[in-house]
């Protein structure tokens, strides 16, 4: 039951955490594992590459096409 809840939590889209430090690339943090999520203006990942958390880019100031 706990394992199923964990899978459901990862499948539920969560907004990436914005960073307020200047970086030479666009980046936010995963809301689940806190790993860096690098992206560009044309593509944003649907999932965290580290933990598999589904990401929600809706209403994002950098919202463009997702991959």
């Amino acid at each position: 039951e706990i394992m199923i809840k964990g899978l459901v939590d990862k499948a539920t889209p969560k907004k990436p955490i914005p960073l307020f430090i200047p970086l030479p690339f666009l980046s936010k943090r995963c809301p689940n594992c806190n790993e860096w999520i690098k992206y560009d203006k044309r593509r944003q990942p649907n999932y965290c590459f580290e933990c598999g958390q589904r990401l929600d880019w809706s209403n994002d100031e950098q919202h463009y096409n997702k991959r």
Side-chain angles (χ1 to χ4, degrees), residues 5-22:
K5 183 182 178 338
L7 292 173
V8 170
D9 286 348
K10 277 192 180 182
T12 303
K14 295 182 182 175
K15 296 205 173 287
I17 301 167
L19 301 176
F20 299 102
I21 55 174

Side-chain angles (χ1 to χ4, degrees), residues 2-53:
I2 293 172
M3 182 183 284
I4 292 172
K5 183 182 178 338
L7 292 173
V8 170
D9 286 348
K10 277 192 180 182
T12 303
K14 295 182 182 175
K15 296 205 173 287
I17 301 167
L19 301 176
F20 299 102
I21 55 174
L23 296 171
F25 49 83
L26 296 173
S27 184
K28 292 190 176 189
R29 291 222 181 243
C30 173
N32 186 52
C33 71
N34 210 32
E35 184 65 33
W36 293 93
I37 302 168
K38 295 179 186 175
Y39 61 98
D40 63 35
K41 292 180 180 182
R42 296 180 309 263
R43 293 185 180 182
Q44 298 165 327
N46 288 328
Y47 296 90
C48 172
F49 297 121
E50 185 68 27
C51 72
Q53 173 65 52

